[in-house]
């Protein structure tokens, strides 16, 4: 794609259209639900621990719920050559509002994390024109990343995501259109998914009217295959086997994304760097990701394996200064984008009394031999212990991680491993 065909003004209009469209759909949705509640004669309200406050009318024809979760965390961190650090805070403070209209085939979700500097995480409206087809519009957790990043933050096997997820992704949210479908033949399920997003992560429309999108759109998809029949209800929505599958269940997946004109190190932001062409116009590299993963569960045992590869394209004719006198060298692109590959292996066992013993190993490998590369060669080991009191709705977790990060020492003129030990303890309550 020609970068110059995507100028600032059309993208600005595109973002404004997104905002207006979301607002319009939400107004219609809430307005229609309000009218329906006035007309109906029977209505039920109930609070269920973990599902929040739920309103059901006309035997579930209309549903509305308010829920959320709180995760308090204590963390101890010690890095070679540095003083130990202690951290105590609420890592996550979520408020979630969701609902659905059965006849109209419409659903929505609005989710904030008030422990985050940018609290808005999810805000989308979905329409299901036919069975097994869902079209969502808005800001949503994308399925084009690795398996762990497709799960919400309250469903994690460990206290937090590891270096594999955090180095190649940020929040995992995107603004755009998401299409999800499902096909089944006997016990064999296929779930193809496709997305077209801004490629700028959360709040990609910017902080104000001058903070507009950079580059082009991001195209991505995922193909999930369940060859041995469905998991128990909801048991494929997280990693640990809380429901103890009676038979071996496997979820195979592959995902990709192609970000046309990325200006953030993992393609989930914008304006972090700018390149120029020979005509002194803004020019951005394309950013590509490939993922493969497998999730297996059987009688309390779970196994997750993930692989990723990232690369940059459209680098020819790029300059790092406005005068177009300093060309971008191939090895320099790793100063701006996270380039390389890695894998994550984690396994665990949940007892029938709710105790879970978990182990994780991760390894990251930079693509280019560049001493200032954003992605460094790393490996990490994590041991975790969890007590599920009421599934993910009430759990106590602790973990210890050891990470070796290969960094270049300019004094020694050589690479050396920097070791970091992190111990964590958390309590999570979903209401």
């Amino acid at each position: 794609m020609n970068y110059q065909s995507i100028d600032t003004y059309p993208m600005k209009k595109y973002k404004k259209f997104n905002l207006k469209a979301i607002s319009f759909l939400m107004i219609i949705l809430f307005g229609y639900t309000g009218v329906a509640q006035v007309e109906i004669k029977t209505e039920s309200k109930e609070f269920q621990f973990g599902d929040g406050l739920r309103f059901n009318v006309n035997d579930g024809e209309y549903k509305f719920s308010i829920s959320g979760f709180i995760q308090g965390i204590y963390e101890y961190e010690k890095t070679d050559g540095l003083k130990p650090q202690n951290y105590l805070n609420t890592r996550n403070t979520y408020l979630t509002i969701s609902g659905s209209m059965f006849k109209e085939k419409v659903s929505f979700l609005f989710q904030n994390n008030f422990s985050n500097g940018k609290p808005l995480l999810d805000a989308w409206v979905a329409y299901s024109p036919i069975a097994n087809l869902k079209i969502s519009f808005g800001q949503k957790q994308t399925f084009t990343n690795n398996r762990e990043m497709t799960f919400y933050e309250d469903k994690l096997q460990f206290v937090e995501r590891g270096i594999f997820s955090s180095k190649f992704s940020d929040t995992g949210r995107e603004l755009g259109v998401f299409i999800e479908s499902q096909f089944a033949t006997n016990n064999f399920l296929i779930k193809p998914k496709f997305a077209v997003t801004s490629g700028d992560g959360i709040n990609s429309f910017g902080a104000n009217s001058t903070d507009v999108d950079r580059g082009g759109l991001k195209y991505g998809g995922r193909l999930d295959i369940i060859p041995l029949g469905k998991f128990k209800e909801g048991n494929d929505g997280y990693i640990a086997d809380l429901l103890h599958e009676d038979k071996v269940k496997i979820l195979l997946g592959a995902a990709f994304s192609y970000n046309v004109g990325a200006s953030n190190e993992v393609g989930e932001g914008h304006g972090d760097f700018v390149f120029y062409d020979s005509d002194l116009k803004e020019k951005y590299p394309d950013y590509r990701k490939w993922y493969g993963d497998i999730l297996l569960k059987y009688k309390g045992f779970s196994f997750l394996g993930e692989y990723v590869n990232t690369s940059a394209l459209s680098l020819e004719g790029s300059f790092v200064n406005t005068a177009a006198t300093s060309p971008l060298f191939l090895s320099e692109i790793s100063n701006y984008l996270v380039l390389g590959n890695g894998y994550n292996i984690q396994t665990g066992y949940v007892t029938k009394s709710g105790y879970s013993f978990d182990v994780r190993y991760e390894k990251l490998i930079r693509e280019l031999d560049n001493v200032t590369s954003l992605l460094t060669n790393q490996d990490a080991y994590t041991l975790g212990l969890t007590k599920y009191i009421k599934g993910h709705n009430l759990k106590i977790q602790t973990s210890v991680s050891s990470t070796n990060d290969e960094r270049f020492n300019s004094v020694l003129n050589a690479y050396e491993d920097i070791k970091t030990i992190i111990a964590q303890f958390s309590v999570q309550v979903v209401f």
Side-chain angles (χ1 to χ4, degrees), residues 49-50 68-74 89-94 152-161 238 242 386-398 425-431:
F49 187 68
F69 83 94
I70 299 172
Q71 182 194 44
I73 184 172
Y74 166 75
N89 206 340
T90 52
R91 175 68 58 82
N92 293 298
T93 311
Y94 275 53
Y152 284 131
E153 287 73 13
D154 62 326
K155 297 294 193 294
L156 301 182
Q157 187 174 20
F158 293 88
V159 175
E160 65 177 353
R161 307 186 198 277
Y238 41 81
L242 298 184
T386 301
K387 170 57 176 174
Y388 294 98
I389 301 173
K390 191 174 177 58
H392 286 287
N393 296 333
L394 179 58
K395 64 181 180 181
I396 301 173
Q397 291 184 293
T398 184
F425 174 82
S426 76
V427 178
Q428 176 176 293
V429 179
V430 180
F431 58 87

Side-chain angles (χ1 to χ4, degrees), residues 290-307:
W290 291 96
Y291 286 102
D293 46 65
I294 176 173
L295 176 62
L296 181 149
K297 295 186 179 185
Y298 179 60
K299 292 187 175 180
F301 170 81
S302 64
F303 173 84
L304 174 67
E306 301 175 304
Y307 174 80

Side-chain angles (χ1 to χ4, degrees), residues 112-315:
N112 279 334
N113 181 7
F114 294 103
S115 294
N116 196 324
K118 296 180 178 180
L120 180 61
L121 292 181
D122 303 276
W124 52 262
V125 177
Y127 175 61
S128 299
I130 59 175
N132 298 324
L133 177 62
K134 179 181 178 181
I135 303 173
S136 305
F137 179 77
Q139 186 165 290
K140 183 180 175 69
Q141 189 166 23
T142 182
F143 37 72
T144 60
N145 289 323
N146 59 301
R147 175 72 60 195
E148 187 186 43
M149 285 300 298
T150 65
F151 300 141
Y152 284 131
E153 287 73 13
D154 62 326
K155 297 294 193 294
L156 301 182
Q157 187 174 20
F158 293 88
V159 175
E160 65 177 353
R161 307 186 198 277
I163 60 173
F164 180 89
S165 293
S166 60
K167 289 295 182 180
F168 290 96
S169 303
D170 188 9
T171 66
R173 269 74 176 187
E174 299 277 356
L175 176 68
V177 179
F178 305 82
I179 302 174
E180 303 170 67
S181 58
Q182 175 178 307
F183 305 95
T185 302
N186 296 326
N187 287 328
F188 194 90
L189 280 77
I190 300 176
K191 297 182 177 182
K193 306 172 184 180
F194 184 73
V196 179
T197 66
S198 68
D200 283 2
I202 63 172
N203 303 329
S204 62
F205 39 81
N208 53 56
S209 60
T210 61
D211 184 15
V212 296
D213 181 29
R214 298 288 190 270
L217 299 176
K218 178 179 179 180
Y219 305 90
R222 169 173 277 274
L223 179 64
D224 287 336
I225 299 175
I226 304 177
L228 302 179
K230 292 182 179 180
F231 289 71
K232 291 184 178 180
E233 186 176 358
N235 206 31
D236 57 347
Y238 41 81
I239 300 169
D241 185 15
L242 298 184
L243 300 185
H244 281 237
E245 295 289 347
D246 300 319
K247 297 181 180 180
V248 175
K249 299 299 179 183
I250 297 177
L251 175 55
L252 299 170
F256 80 96
S257 63
Y258 193 98
N259 197 331
V260 181
S263 57
N264 170 264
E265 61 183 35
V266 293
E268 289 189 33
H270 66 273
D272 294 344
F273 61 84
V274 181
F275 298 154
Y276 302 89
D277 62 14
S278 57
D279 295 325
L280 309 184
K281 296 181 179 179
E282 291 186 3
K283 174 176 167 56
Y284 299 96
D286 295 348
Y287 188 47
R288 181 173 59 190
K289 294 182 183 181
W290 291 96
Y291 286 102
D293 46 65
I294 176 173
L295 176 62
L296 181 149
K297 295 186 179 185
Y298 179 60
K299 292 187 175 180
F301 170 81
S302 64
F303 173 84
L304 174 67
E306 301 175 304
Y307 174 80
V308 63
N309 177 268
T310 62
S311 55
L313 302 92
S314 302
L315 305 177

